[in-house]
Amino acid sequence: MKVLHAAAELFPYVKVGGLADVMGALPQALSNEGVYVRLLLPAYPALMKVARIYGTHASYPDLMGGGSARLLLADVPGSVPIYLLDAPGYFNRDCGPYDEWGDNHRRFSALSWVTAQLALNGDAEGMRPDVVHLHDWQTALTPVFMSLSGSAHRPKTVLTIHNLAYQGVFPQYILDEIWLPHEAFHLNGAEYFGKINYLKAGLAYTDKITTVSPTYAREIQGKEGGYTLEGILQRRSKDLVGILNGVDELVWNPSKDPHLQTPFNIKNLKLNKGYNKKAFQREMGLNEDENAQLFGIVSRFDAIKGLDLVIPNIDYMVSLGAQLAVLGRGNYDMESAFSWAAGRHPGSVATFTGYDEGKAHRLMAASDVLLVPSRSEPCGLTQLYAMRYGALPVARKTGGLADTIVDVTSETLKDGTATGFLFFDPESWRLGEAITRAVSLYKNEPEIWEKIQTNAMAQHFTWTRSAKQYAKLYKSLLGQ
Ligand code: ADP
């Protein structure tokens, strides 16, 4: 079975969020399950720098008005074979992949169109996938191009929603710029309140839809979680399935993590996690105090992440003797609010405004608690990493957070399944209650705390498990 994955991010080269982590791990896990996988990504400078190019598989004299382009086949360290869409007019840009470029509609329609051509016609060596697996709005037009091509041999398609909040919505007048057949522009297709919605179009034309947790698969069919697409998702309900993401053991393993001075495991947890805590407190300018309960945040600063619920709790947390370390960037008000809190509480609150992979690892290793108060969370990876590193999540019971964290209650303590603290209402005082529970257990019941930590560390959200489910889905599509 040959499967082509197309996406716009790939860890560690181009990463905005969890999508990159998925693309860095899932293809390899699928290969281990016997699926032959290739990727297709834009030839971003970060990828071209490390790519070993094998050949050119197609050339386009003028790709959607962006100048000439080529489809290359390459090897990139750590990845399965990868097609790179070398369209310098579109992708030879530093900065983030989707920063507010005025031509994003053409950049990602071009990516989708080329993916469709490869799927329908094969590459120069006649290699053609059986299944094309698309990820998020940036590649979502692929099934539309494929379906409307008139080709008798259309491979099957899977479209994964990594976050329904981002849909790729553009004004109608771009229709002629993106080579999309006008027949796609209808109520049950690309049309969206008089505009064009790439994700909605993909949802209408793809064979199967997946999202990254079973709870999120349910939530997005409701009014609150549907981001206006609940209608189409309800209609496609029998083709929609939630498959949880996993943890890449090669990247997130506390016993072999090159970002840590003192790696650790369940057996030497207390001592070695303590070393990591002190080292990180020093790194962040927090008071070096192994006994202070350290809360961490690693997140994009986006309204969806619910970090505004944390701000009113900071003084309270400090008054309880806790510390807070924040790693993130994004919304300016949020950046300022955390920096202001750090200024008010030197030694107890520290913030690093930016993106830093190594710091994220060290924060997980050092923290006792990771705060994940997301208003919506398709799967969430940080809570999985935190658990693996013995930091208990305090999280909102939504999406993948609800599917991966078992709340501390008298029953879950008794049956030994507890792994974190959940709250439901997106209110700061509700988060405050969950924080209070975490503080009180940490202070008063250290042995129970340690028991929960070891339980959390023993959770195995493996990519093997996810890959088996995707492989089963592909087989069902192919009638196998
Ligand atoms: P999302 O995809 O919505 O951003 P996820 O929890 O699925 O949320 O994935 C976030 C990924 O980005 C994780 O790998 C997390 O460690 C990483 N991350 C987020 N912010 C930062 C940051 N400031 N520095 C380093 N890594 C970060």
Side-chain angles (χ1 to χ4, degrees):
M1 182 166 43
K2 299 188 291 283
V3 180
L4 174 69
H5 282 250
E9 297 180 34
L10 176 64
F11 178 85
Y13 308 104
V14 186
K15 172 161 165 173
V16 175
L19 171 61
D21 295 20
V22 176
M23 298 317 298
L26 176 61
Q28 196 51 57
L30 282 165
S31 296
N32 298 343
E33 294 303 308
V35 180
Y36 185 80
V37 188
R38 285 188 177 178
L39 298 185
L40 194 160
L41 260 96
Y44 299 117
L47 279 168
M48 287 302 263
K49 219 184 309 173
V50 294
R52 239 186 38 219
I53 310 287
Y54 287 124
T56 301
H57 279 267
S59 299
Y60 313 100
D62 185 19
L63 185 60
M64 257 169 234
S68 66
R70 298 176 305 164
L71 187 65
L72 310 172
L73 182 61
D75 245 354
V76 162
S79 168
V80 299
I82 179 167
Y83 295 103
L84 293 172
L85 174 55
D86 181 27
Y90 285 140
F91 298 116
N92 188 12
R93 301 175 189 180
D94 283 319
C95 305
Y98 342 114
D99 287 357
E100 298 299 311
W101 304 113
D103 57 354
N104 272 347
H105 58 291
R106 283 192 288 134
R107 298 171 78 217
F108 294 108
S109 184
L111 180 64
S112 301
W113 183 84
V114 169
T115 307
Q117 301 313 303
L118 179 62
L120 293 170
N121 307 320
D123 68 12
E125 285 157 9
M127 166 80 178
R128 216 171 56 161
D130 304 304
V131 176
V132 185
H133 191 152
L134 295 325
H135 298 269
D136 277 349
W137 72 266
Q138 296 88 354
T139 53
L141 290 184
T142 307
V144 190
F145 285 121
M146 286 169 69
S147 295
L148 299 180
S149 69
S151 167
H153 302 287
R154 176 194 179 281
K156 298 292 183 191
T157 55
V158 176
L159 172 56
T160 296
I161 303 168
H162 294 267
N163 199 328
L164 189 61
Y166 310 110
Q167 300 178 1
V169 178
F170 302 99
Q172 188 189 340
Y173 65 76
I174 64 140
L175 193 55
D176 287 325
E177 293 176 35
I178 59 168
W179 294 0
L180 196 72
H182 283 218
E183 58 194 294
F185 192 75
H186 59 90
L187 194 65
N188 293 322
E191 196 275 339
Y192 177 76
F193 303 112
K195 297 183 177 174
I196 296 177
N197 183 320
Y198 284 25
L199 186 67
K200 176 172 177 274
L203 295 175
Y205 284 86
T206 189
D207 296 303
K208 291 280 179 196
I209 301 166
T210 75
T211 188
V212 287
S213 70
T215 295
Y216 195 64
R218 275 194 305 280
E219 287 173 352
I220 57 178
Q221 294 178 60
K223 194 161 173 41
E224 204 177 315
Y227 292 90
T228 69
L229 295 188
E230 62 274 15
I232 185 162
L233 288 162
Q234 283 163 20
R235 269 202 308 287
R236 300 286 332 255
S237 170
K238 70 173 193 348
D239 294 315
L240 167 61
V241 54
I243 298 177
L244 273 177
N245 287 335
V247 173
D248 189 342
E249 279 289 318
L250 295 175
V251 181
W252 291 95
N253 180 347
S255 65
K256 293 187 187 143
D257 190 331
H259 296 293
L260 309 185
Q261 249 175 24
T262 320
F264 63 99
N265 56 39
I266 287 182
K267 286 195 196 117
N268 56 28
L269 169 67
K270 198 167 162 46
L271 188 65
N272 285 12
K273 199 170 159 71
Y275 287 138
N276 280 295
K277 187 194 262 191
K278 283 216 264 190
F280 189 68
Q281 285 169 327
R282 213 174 310 131
E283 177 178 344
M284 293 293 284
L286 291 165
N287 299 330
E288 268 180 64
D289 176 0
E290 216 183 301
N291 295 321
Q293 190 178 16
L294 178 60
F295 286 68
I297 292 174
V298 179
S299 184
R300 293 181 295 118
F301 291 169
D302 182 309
I304 218 167
K305 294 293 183 185
L307 295 172
D308 52 306
L309 307 180
V310 176
I311 307 293
N313 281 299
I314 294 179
D315 294 355
Y316 170 63
M317 290 164 69
V318 172
S319 76
L320 297 175
Q323 295 184 346
L324 175 65
V326 183
L327 170 55
R329 66 173 177 198
N331 176 288
Y332 176 75
D333 289 344
M334 201 58 64
E335 288 179 0
S336 312
F338 282 122
S339 298
W340 195 56
R344 276 201 326 275
H345 300 290
S348 296
V349 178
T351 178
F352 177 87
T353 306
Y355 179 92
D356 188 323
E357 189 70 27
K359 254 192 192 13
H361 286 244
R362 292 191 291 279
L363 183 146
M364 297 290 182
S367 297
D368 300 293
V369 176
L370 186 83
L371 292 176
V372 199
S374 307
R375 289 172 190 280
S376 158
E377 192 60 80
C379 175
L381 289 169
T382 55
Q383 85 280 11
L384 304 183
Y385 303 153
M387 288 193 273
R388 198 78 191 79
Y389 282 60
L392 304 185
V394 166
R396 232 201 110 217
K397 192 175 179 185
T398 185
L401 298 169
D403 290 340
T404 56
I405 300 166
V406 178
D407 191 24
V408 172
T409 64
S410 49
E411 283 98 73
T412 59
L413 282 179
K414 212 180 297 159
D415 64 22
T417 54
T419 55
F421 303 85
L422 292 170
F423 67 101
F424 183 70
D425 297 327
E427 306 281 351
S428 58
W429 67 275
R430 288 294 192 193
L431 169 61
E433 280 181 343
I435 289 171
T436 308
R437 287 201 285 142
V439 170
S440 138
L441 198 73
Y442 181 84
K443 268 193 189 153
N444 304 324
E445 310 276 2
E447 276 160 27
I448 296 181
W449 184 273
E450 234 175 275
K451 172 79 197 43
I452 306 171
Q453 271 182 312
T454 49
N455 194 25
M457 288 178 78
Q459 299 297 308
H460 277 294
F461 293 99
T462 65
W463 274 113
T464 307
R465 190 166 70 170
S466 319
K468 281 187 195 306
Q469 294 178 58
Y470 282 112
K472 200 165 143 204
L473 180 73
Y474 302 151
K475 282 189 186 148
S476 76
L477 270 173
L478 298 174
Q480 295 175 3

PDB file of all heavy atoms in Angstrom, residues 68-96:
ATOM      1  N   SER A  68       7.998  29.872 -12.383  1.00  0.00           N
ATOM      2  CA  SER A  68       8.247  28.467 -12.679  1.00  0.00           C
ATOM      3  C   SER A  68       8.475  27.684 -11.385  1.00  0.00           C
ATOM      4  O   SER A  68       8.903  28.228 -10.365  1.00  0.00           O
ATOM      5  CB  SER A  68       9.438  28.334 -13.617  1.00  0.00           C
ATOM      6  OG  SER A  68      10.579  28.757 -12.927  1.00  0.00           O
ATOM      7  N   ALA A  69       8.161  26.382 -11.476  1.00  0.00           N
ATOM      8  CA  ALA A  69       8.276  25.531 -10.292  1.00  0.00           C
ATOM      9  C   ALA A  69       8.638  24.122 -10.733  1.00  0.00           C
ATOM     10  O   ALA A  69       8.425  23.738 -11.881  1.00  0.00           O
ATOM     11  CB  ALA A  69       6.949  25.521  -9.548  1.00  0.00           C
ATOM     12  N   ARG A  70       9.214  23.367  -9.780  1.00  0.00           N
ATOM     13  CA  ARG A  70       9.588  21.977 -10.060  1.00  0.00           C
ATOM     14  C   ARG A  70       9.174  21.104  -8.887  1.00  0.00           C
ATOM     15  O   ARG A  70       9.142  21.572  -7.743  1.00  0.00           O
ATOM     16  CB  ARG A  70      11.112  21.857 -10.191  1.00  0.00           C
ATOM     17  CG  ARG A  70      11.723  22.641 -11.304  1.00  0.00           C
ATOM     18  CD  ARG A  70      13.246  22.523 -11.263  1.00  0.00           C
ATOM     19  NE  ARG A  70      13.796  22.911  -9.961  1.00  0.00           N
ATOM     20  CZ  ARG A  70      15.020  22.617  -9.541  1.00  0.00           C
ATOM     21  NH1 ARG A  70      15.832  21.922 -10.297  1.00  0.00           N
ATOM     22  NH2 ARG A  70      15.450  23.028  -8.354  1.00  0.00           N
ATOM     23  N   LEU A  71       8.906  19.854  -9.197  1.00  0.00           N
ATOM     24  CA  LEU A  71       8.645  18.899  -8.125  1.00  0.00           C
ATOM     25  C   LEU A  71       9.864  17.998  -8.019  1.00  0.00           C
ATOM     26  O   LEU A  71      10.183  17.256  -8.944  1.00  0.00           O
ATOM     27  CB  LEU A  71       7.393  18.076  -8.436  1.00  0.00           C
ATOM     28  CG  LEU A  71       6.954  17.161  -7.296  1.00  0.00           C
ATOM     29  CD1 LEU A  71       6.516  17.967  -6.080  1.00  0.00           C
ATOM     30  CD2 LEU A  71       5.824  16.235  -7.740  1.00  0.00           C
ATOM     31  N   LEU A  72      10.545  18.096  -6.865  1.00  0.00           N
ATOM     32  CA  LEU A  72      11.784  17.340  -6.670  1.00  0.00           C
ATOM     33  C   LEU A  72      11.519  16.154  -5.760  1.00  0.00           C
ATOM     34  O   LEU A  72      10.620  16.203  -4.914  1.00  0.00           O
ATOM     35  CB  LEU A  72      12.831  18.250  -6.004  1.00  0.00           C
ATOM     36  CG  LEU A  72      13.056  19.615  -6.656  1.00  0.00           C
ATOM     37  CD1 LEU A  72      13.959  20.475  -5.776  1.00  0.00           C
ATOM     38  CD2 LEU A  72      13.665  19.425  -8.046  1.00  0.00           C
ATOM     39  N   LEU A  73      12.315  15.110  -5.914  1.00  0.00           N
ATOM     40  CA  LEU A  73      12.257  14.017  -4.938  1.00  0.00           C
ATOM     41  C   LEU A  73      13.559  14.086  -4.154  1.00  0.00           C
ATOM     42  O   LEU A  73      14.635  14.229  -4.746  1.00  0.00           O
ATOM     43  CB  LEU A  73      12.115  12.665  -5.635  1.00  0.00           C
ATOM     44  CG  LEU A  73      11.996  11.461  -4.695  1.00  0.00           C
ATOM     45  CD1 LEU A  73      10.756  11.578  -3.798  1.00  0.00           C
ATOM     46  CD2 LEU A  73      11.921  10.145  -5.482  1.00  0.00           C
ATOM     47  N   ALA A  74      13.457  13.995  -2.848  1.00  0.00           N
ATOM     48  CA  ALA A  74      14.642  14.223  -2.026  1.00  0.00           C
ATOM     49  C   ALA A  74      14.622  13.356  -0.778  1.00  0.00           C
ATOM     50  O   ALA A  74      13.611  12.784  -0.403  1.00  0.00           O
ATOM     51  CB  ALA A  74      14.704  15.695  -1.619  1.00  0.00           C
ATOM     52  N   ASP A  75      15.801  13.306  -0.165  1.00  0.00           N
ATOM     53  CA  ASP A  75      15.958  12.695   1.153  1.00  0.00           C
ATOM     54  C   ASP A  75      16.244  13.817   2.129  1.00  0.00           C
ATOM     55  O   ASP A  75      17.075  14.678   1.854  1.00  0.00           O
ATOM     56  CB  ASP A  75      17.178  11.765   1.128  1.00  0.00           C
ATOM     57  CG  ASP A  75      16.781  10.337   1.329  1.00  0.00           C
ATOM     58  OD1 ASP A  75      15.591  10.087   1.597  1.00  0.00           O
ATOM     59  OD2 ASP A  75      17.668   9.461   1.210  1.00  0.00           O
ATOM     60  N   VAL A  76      15.553  13.794   3.239  1.00  0.00           N
ATOM     61  CA  VAL A  76      15.787  14.797   4.276  1.00  0.00           C
ATOM     62  C   VAL A  76      16.046  14.016   5.561  1.00  0.00           C
ATOM     63  O   VAL A  76      15.292  13.079   5.848  1.00  0.00           O
ATOM     64  CB  VAL A  76      14.534  15.703   4.410  1.00  0.00           C
ATOM     65  CG1 VAL A  76      14.525  16.452   5.709  1.00  0.00           C
ATOM     66  CG2 VAL A  76      14.444  16.667   3.235  1.00  0.00           C
ATOM     67  N   PRO A  77      17.110  14.347   6.312  1.00  0.00           N
ATOM     68  CA  PRO A  77      17.427  13.545   7.491  1.00  0.00           C
ATOM     69  C   PRO A  77      16.219  13.356   8.410  1.00  0.00           C
ATOM     70  O   PRO A  77      15.500  14.302   8.702  1.00  0.00           O
ATOM     71  CB  PRO A  77      18.523  14.363   8.196  1.00  0.00           C
ATOM     72  CG  PRO A  77      19.133  15.179   7.114  1.00  0.00           C
ATOM     73  CD  PRO A  77      18.055  15.448   6.110  1.00  0.00           C
ATOM     74  N   GLY A  78      16.009  12.109   8.798  1.00  0.00           N
ATOM     75  CA  GLY A  78      14.941  11.804   9.752  1.00  0.00           C
ATOM     76  C   GLY A  78      13.580  11.606   9.125  1.00  0.00           C
ATOM     77  O   GLY A  78      12.606  11.338   9.829  1.00  0.00           O
ATOM     78  N   SER A  79      13.491  11.754   7.792  1.00  0.00           N
ATOM     79  CA  SER A  79      12.167  11.674   7.170  1.00  0.00           C
ATOM     80  C   SER A  79      12.118  10.526   6.148  1.00  0.00           C
ATOM     81  O   SER A  79      13.144  10.073   5.656  1.00  0.00           O
ATOM     82  CB  SER A  79      11.854  13.001   6.479  1.00  0.00           C
ATOM     83  OG  SER A  79      10.732  12.857   5.652  1.00  0.00           O
ATOM     84  N   VAL A  80      10.919  10.089   5.827  1.00  0.00           N
ATOM     85  CA  VAL A  80      10.728   9.173   4.706  1.00  0.00           C
ATOM     86  C   VAL A  80      10.996   9.982   3.421  1.00  0.00           C
ATOM     87  O   VAL A  80      11.097  11.209   3.491  1.00  0.00           O
ATOM     88  CB  VAL A  80       9.287   8.600   4.714  1.00  0.00           C
ATOM     89  CG1 VAL A  80       9.014   7.828   5.989  1.00  0.00           C
ATOM     90  CG2 VAL A  80       8.251   9.697   4.512  1.00  0.00           C
ATOM     91  N   PRO A  81      11.107   9.330   2.243  1.00  0.00           N
ATOM     92  CA  PRO A  81      11.358  10.107   1.012  1.00  0.00           C
ATOM     93  C   PRO A  81      10.322  11.221   0.843  1.00  0.00           C
ATOM     94  O   PRO A  81       9.149  11.043   1.176  1.00  0.00           O
ATOM     95  CB  PRO A  81      11.208   9.058  -0.092  1.00  0.00           C
ATOM     96  CG  PRO A  81      11.445   7.749   0.571  1.00  0.00           C
ATOM     97  CD  PRO A  81      10.990   7.887   1.986  1.00  0.00           C
ATOM     98  N   ILE A  82      10.813  12.331   0.335  1.00  0.00           N
ATOM     99  CA  ILE A  82       9.948  13.517   0.348  1.00  0.00           C
ATOM    100  C   ILE A  82       9.980  14.236  -1.000  1.00  0.00           C
ATOM    101  O   ILE A  82      11.058  14.465  -1.563  1.00  0.00           O
ATOM    102  CB  ILE A  82      10.390  14.434   1.526  1.00  0.00           C
ATOM    103  CG1 ILE A  82       9.566  15.697   1.591  1.00  0.00           C
ATOM    104  CG2 ILE A  82      11.832  14.799   1.476  1.00  0.00           C
ATOM    105  CD1 ILE A  82       9.765  16.430   2.907  1.00  0.00           C
ATOM    106  N   TYR A  83       8.816  14.535  -1.537  1.00  0.00           N
ATOM    107  CA  TYR A  83       8.722  15.412  -2.708  1.00  0.00           C
ATOM    108  C   TYR A  83       8.716  16.846  -2.194  1.00  0.00           C
ATOM    109  O   TYR A  83       7.990  17.175  -1.237  1.00  0.00           O
ATOM    110  CB  TYR A  83       7.421  15.192  -3.470  1.00  0.00           C
ATOM    111  CG  TYR A  83       7.266  13.838  -4.112  1.00  0.00           C
ATOM    112  CD1 TYR A  83       6.451  12.874  -3.524  1.00  0.00           C
ATOM    113  CD2 TYR A  83       7.904  13.530  -5.311  1.00  0.00           C
ATOM    114  CE1 TYR A  83       6.288  11.624  -4.112  1.00  0.00           C
ATOM    115  CE2 TYR A  83       7.743  12.281  -5.908  1.00  0.00           C
ATOM    116  CZ  TYR A  83       6.939  11.328  -5.300  1.00  0.00           C
ATOM    117  OH  TYR A  83       6.782  10.104  -5.888  1.00  0.00           O
ATOM    118  N   LEU A  84       9.530  17.673  -2.829  1.00  0.00           N
ATOM    119  CA  LEU A  84       9.565  19.082  -2.432  1.00  0.00           C
ATOM    120  C   LEU A  84       9.058  19.925  -3.595  1.00  0.00           C
ATOM    121  O   LEU A  84       9.573  19.799  -4.717  1.00  0.00           O
ATOM    122  CB  LEU A  84      10.997  19.494  -2.078  1.00  0.00           C
ATOM    123  CG  LEU A  84      11.567  18.819  -0.829  1.00  0.00           C
ATOM    124  CD1 LEU A  84      13.053  19.134  -0.677  1.00  0.00           C
ATOM    125  CD2 LEU A  84      10.804  19.284   0.416  1.00  0.00           C
ATOM    126  N   LEU A  85       8.080  20.734  -3.325  1.00  0.00           N
ATOM    127  CA  LEU A  85       7.570  21.632  -4.362  1.00  0.00           C
ATOM    128  C   LEU A  85       8.445  22.882  -4.361  1.00  0.00           C
ATOM    129  O   LEU A  85       8.304  23.765  -3.514  1.00  0.00           O
ATOM    130  CB  LEU A  85       6.102  21.995  -4.099  1.00  0.00           C
ATOM    131  CG  LEU A  85       5.531  23.043  -5.067  1.00  0.00           C
ATOM    132  CD1 LEU A  85       5.703  22.631  -6.523  1.00  0.00           C
ATOM    133  CD2 LEU A  85       4.063  23.316  -4.763  1.00  0.00           C
ATOM    134  N   ASP A  86       9.388  22.869  -5.321  1.00  0.00           N
ATOM    135  CA  ASP A  86      10.341  23.973  -5.404  1.00  0.00           C
ATOM    136  C   ASP A  86       9.732  25.075  -6.261  1.00  0.00           C
ATOM    137  O   ASP A  86       9.899  25.107  -7.474  1.00  0.00           O
ATOM    138  CB  ASP A  86      11.650  23.452  -6.028  1.00  0.00           C
ATOM    139  CG  ASP A  86      12.691  24.546  -6.121  1.00  0.00           C
ATOM    140  OD1 ASP A  86      12.629  25.478  -5.301  1.00  0.00           O
ATOM    141  OD2 ASP A  86      13.554  24.476  -7.020  1.00  0.00           O
ATOM    142  N   ALA A  87       9.005  25.939  -5.601  1.00  0.00           N
ATOM    143  CA  ALA A  87       8.351  27.066  -6.276  1.00  0.00           C
ATOM    144  C   ALA A  87       8.882  28.317  -5.588  1.00  0.00           C
ATOM    145  O   ALA A  87       8.258  28.841  -4.659  1.00  0.00           O
ATOM    146  CB  ALA A  87       6.841  26.953  -6.129  1.00  0.00           C
ATOM    147  N   PRO A  88      10.059  28.792  -6.033  1.00  0.00           N
ATOM    148  CA  PRO A  88      10.729  29.883  -5.299  1.00  0.00           C
ATOM    149  C   PRO A  88       9.835  31.108  -5.131  1.00  0.00           C
ATOM    150  O   PRO A  88       9.896  31.793  -4.109  1.00  0.00           O
ATOM    151  CB  PRO A  88      11.953  30.207  -6.157  1.00  0.00           C
ATOM    152  CG  PRO A  88      12.155  29.013  -7.045  1.00  0.00           C
ATOM    153  CD  PRO A  88      10.823  28.362  -7.223  1.00  0.00           C
ATOM    154  N   GLY A  89       8.993  31.363  -6.138  1.00  0.00           N
ATOM    155  CA  GLY A  89       8.103  32.526  -6.049  1.00  0.00           C
ATOM    156  C   GLY A  89       7.153  32.435  -4.864  1.00  0.00           C
ATOM    157  O   GLY A  89       6.662  33.451  -4.368  1.00  0.00           O
ATOM    158  N   TYR A  90       6.887  31.230  -4.424  1.00  0.00           N
ATOM    159  CA  TYR A  90       5.943  31.041  -3.314  1.00  0.00           C
ATOM    160  C   TYR A  90       6.591  30.665  -1.979  1.00  0.00           C
ATOM    161  O   TYR A  90       6.131  31.061  -0.916  1.00  0.00           O
ATOM    162  CB  TYR A  90       4.953  29.927  -3.660  1.00  0.00           C
ATOM    163  CG  TYR A  90       3.900  30.327  -4.658  1.00  0.00           C
ATOM    164  CD1 TYR A  90       3.497  29.450  -5.660  1.00  0.00           C
ATOM    165  CD2 TYR A  90       3.302  31.578  -4.595  1.00  0.00           C
ATOM    166  CE1 TYR A  90       2.522  29.811  -6.576  1.00  0.00           C
ATOM    167  CE2 TYR A  90       2.334  31.943  -5.507  1.00  0.00           C
ATOM    168  CZ  TYR A  90       1.949  31.064  -6.496  1.00  0.00           C
ATOM    169  OH  TYR A  90       0.995  31.429  -7.401  1.00  0.00           O
ATOM    170  N   PHE A  91       7.643  29.829  -2.056  1.00  0.00           N
ATOM    171  CA  PHE A  91       8.095  29.242  -0.794  1.00  0.00           C
ATOM    172  C   PHE A  91       9.523  29.583  -0.397  1.00  0.00           C
ATOM    173  O   PHE A  91       9.960  29.202   0.677  1.00  0.00           O
ATOM    174  CB  PHE A  91       7.920  27.716  -0.847  1.00  0.00           C
ATOM    175  CG  PHE A  91       6.476  27.319  -1.019  1.00  0.00           C
ATOM    176  CD1 PHE A  91       6.049  26.649  -2.156  1.00  0.00           C
ATOM    177  CD2 PHE A  91       5.546  27.636  -0.040  1.00  0.00           C
ATOM    178  CE1 PHE A  91       4.718  26.298  -2.317  1.00  0.00           C
ATOM    179  CE2 PHE A  91       4.209  27.291  -0.194  1.00  0.00           C
ATOM    180  CZ  PHE A  91       3.794  26.624  -1.334  1.00  0.00           C
ATOM    181  N   ASN A  92      10.250  30.288  -1.256  1.00  0.00           N
ATOM    182  CA  ASN A  92      11.607  30.654  -0.868  1.00  0.00           C
ATOM    183  C   ASN A  92      11.555  31.922  -0.017  1.00  0.00           C
ATOM    184  O   ASN A  92      11.991  32.992  -0.417  1.00  0.00           O
ATOM    185  CB  ASN A  92      12.482  30.862  -2.109  1.00  0.00           C
ATOM    186  CG  ASN A  92      13.938  31.052  -1.731  1.00  0.00           C
ATOM    187  OD1 ASN A  92      14.314  30.800  -0.578  1.00  0.00           O
ATOM    188  ND2 ASN A  92      14.748  31.505  -2.665  1.00  0.00           N
ATOM    189  N   ARG A  93      10.959  31.774   1.167  1.00  0.00           N
ATOM    190  CA  ARG A  93      10.810  32.931   2.068  1.00  0.00           C
ATOM    191  C   ARG A  93      11.179  32.461   3.459  1.00  0.00           C
ATOM    192  O   ARG A  93      10.787  31.368   3.873  1.00  0.00           O
ATOM    193  CB  ARG A  93       9.349  33.391   2.119  1.00  0.00           C
ATOM    194  CG  ARG A  93       8.814  33.788   0.755  1.00  0.00           C
ATOM    195  CD  ARG A  93       7.341  34.114   0.831  1.00  0.00           C
ATOM    196  NE  ARG A  93       6.819  34.290  -0.529  1.00  0.00           N
ATOM    197  CZ  ARG A  93       5.551  34.577  -0.809  1.00  0.00           C
ATOM    198  NH1 ARG A  93       4.665  34.728   0.178  1.00  0.00           N
ATOM    199  NH2 ARG A  93       5.158  34.712  -2.046  1.00  0.00           N
ATOM    200  N   ASP A  94      11.933  33.288   4.173  1.00  0.00           N
ATOM    201  CA  ASP A  94      12.177  32.977   5.574  1.00  0.00           C
ATOM    202  C   ASP A  94      10.952  33.449   6.346  1.00  0.00           C
ATOM    203  O   ASP A  94      10.003  33.915   5.756  1.00  0.00           O
ATOM    204  CB  ASP A  94      13.476  33.627   6.033  1.00  0.00           C
ATOM    205  CG  ASP A  94      14.666  32.826   5.509  1.00  0.00           C
ATOM    206  OD1 ASP A  94      14.584  31.580   5.540  1.00  0.00           O
ATOM    207  OD2 ASP A  94      15.642  33.436   5.039  1.00  0.00           O
ATOM    208  N   CYS A  95      10.923  33.320   7.630  1.00  0.00           N
ATOM    209  CA  CYS A  95       9.763  33.623   8.484  1.00  0.00           C
ATOM    210  C   CYS A  95       8.814  32.430   8.500  1.00  0.00           C
ATOM    211  O   CYS A  95       9.072  31.409   7.877  1.00  0.00           O
ATOM    212  CB  CYS A  95       8.958  34.845   8.052  1.00  0.00           C
ATOM    213  SG  CYS A  95       9.922  36.313   7.915  1.00  0.00           S
ATOM    214  N   GLY A  96       7.709  32.614   9.172  1.00  0.00           N
ATOM    215  CA  GLY A  96       6.758  31.515   9.352  1.00  0.00           C
ATOM    216  C   GLY A  96       6.105  31.124   8.046  1.00  0.00           C
ATOM    217  O   GLY A  96       5.981  31.938   7.137  1.00  0.00           O
TER     218      GLY A  96
END
